[in-house]
Amino acid sequence: MPLSPEAIATLSRVTTATITTVLLKKGLRNVWMRGARPLKPGQPRLVGEAFTLRFVPAREDLATPESWSSPISTRTAIEAMPQGCIAVVDAMGVKDAGIFGDILCARMVKRGVTALITDGVVRDLEGVLGTGLPVWCNGYAAPPSVAGLTFVGWGEPIGCGGVAIFPEDIIVADQDGAVVIPKAFLDLILAEGAEQERMEAWIVNEVNGGAALPGLYPMNADTKARYAAAKK
């Protein structure tokens, strides 16, 4: 089932830091995508289902400008992106070939794509920023994708920033980067994420009031009782 508006609204109030903490308690340590940083400071927290794309190292007979007209191309993949998805691109961390530029990003905006996340880089920086598409990436470079990469497909499991991403996994991205919520853990995050945020906000308030950290963070029994009383 598509991610509901209610689920999106709830997750938009839960930080990626909190999500990593909740998932860590369940044994999931590798959910934060390395190298995927917000291209523009101040981008809002965004949520969506993953639409995956994958590049492999460039091979001279395949990575050519002519390949952009191939049925297996980034252009074709963009036309398959559903509204509200977050495009997650495995670019193997390559930093000297921009996977998408302003034209492709502009088309993604028209398709209703929520954001682009990659462990690679973009090109046409000024133009990409001008499209308004929120981007999390590893920087920017002038050369096109075929200078260093071969596009091979979409809609399959990928690795992005050292993290396994499956189609329709849930992605949350904010100023700390981008994290994946495996679909099987969505209900957990919806139930515990908001509570973790409330608890930490209460702890911050206690710290601002002069409370010492031992027994407060993490909470001992007395602090848990005070917190429970404060919620009533």
Side-chain angles (χ1 to χ4, degrees), residues 33-166:
M33 287 171 250
R34 299 156 189 83
R37 299 182 295 273
L39 185 62
K40 181 180 179 181
Q43 293 179 161
R45 184 174 300 113
L46 295 174
V47 180
E49 291 189 359
F51 182 95
T52 59
L53 303 92
R54 185 165 67 94
F55 286 87
V56 298
R59 205 177 76 182
E60 286 75 8
D61 61 325
L62 299 174
T64 65
E66 290 73 24
S67 68
W68 295 331
S69 299
S70 166
I72 301 177
S73 68
T74 52
R75 282 72 170 159
T76 307
I78 288 171
E79 298 306 316
M81 292 178 181
Q83 184 173 356
C85 76
I86 290 182
V88 185
V89 186
D90 175 4
M92 305 184 307
V94 170
K95 294 184 178 182
D96 54 4
I99 59 164
F100 289 165
D102 55 353
I103 294 174
L104 273 62
C105 289
R107 180 56 182 162
M108 292 169 69
V109 171
K110 290 295 184 181
R111 295 282 304 167
V113 174
T114 295
L116 166 65
I117 295 173
T118 181
D119 55 2
V121 302
V122 296
R123 64 195 299 247
D124 303 316
L125 176 61
E126 185 176 351
V128 169
L129 291 172
T131 69
L133 178 70
V135 175
W136 278 256
C137 65
N138 208 2
Y140 35 87
S145 60
V146 294
L149 294 162
T150 301
F151 182 69
V152 292
W154 63 91
E156 59 185 346
I158 62 169
C160 183
V163 177
I165 309 292
F166 288 76

